[in-house]
Amino acid sequence: TVTPTFTARATLLPPQQQSSIAGAMAALGNLSALAGGAVGLKSPADQHIALMQSVRVADRLIEAFDLMRVYQTPTRLDARRILERNTRIATARKDTLITIEVDDADPTRAAAMANRYVAELRSLSAQLALSEAQQRRTFFERELQVTKQRLTEAQVALQASGFNAGALRAEPKAAAEAYARLRADITQAEVQLQGLRRNFT
């Protein structure tokens, strides 16, 4: 008797804007595709497929559906390999829709697994977006502090420069140049500080 196999299909439309997912994937650990490595990620669809084919997502499905028991495998690696054989995630060359197909002996479980891929993609994409936002915030915080320090140093230098009427009469050219240079430093720091504050906000 041949055990019947059921195929469940889920289809999704990924965001069309080019995101930074490809660059952030390395920060999330081993997200290499089960099918031999996520290379050539040129489009949002490619990036999302790579995420769904990652070890991280595979392990989440193995845990959620107890696939080591279902597949009767002694190791998680064996379960990943069977899951890979039973799953097809792809998009047509001219089609932006991503299709997820999962084969299983239980039709209900097959449908639940296909939908779980979509849920895991949304969760992982949200984590990547949050990670990127945190990195941007850290960068702007650091640049803000550096620029504030530059502004303070330039202001102190201007106060300590001794620029006054006496210095202007004694060495008019040197005093004017020193004053202009320090004022330029202050202005540049103030402009940069305003820009960073806007970006930080």
Side-chain angles (χ1 to χ4, degrees), residues 118-147:
V118 178
E120 290 296 335
L121 172 63
R122 289 173 178 167
S123 175
L124 195 51
S125 296
Q127 291 178 38
L128 285 169
L130 178 60
S131 175
E132 182 186 358
Q134 290 172 337
Q135 291 173 9
R136 285 200 305 268
R137 181 180 178 86
T138 300
F139 169 78
F140 282 124
E141 284 179 339
R142 184 172 60 250
E143 290 298 310
L144 197 59
Q145 292 304 317
V146 170
T147 304

Side-chain angles (χ1 to χ4, degrees), residues 5-19:
T5 300
F6 300 90
T7 301
R9 175 182 294 180
T11 303
L12 65 94
L13 178 65
Q16 293 306 298
Q17 70 272 16
Q18 190 73 14
S19 69

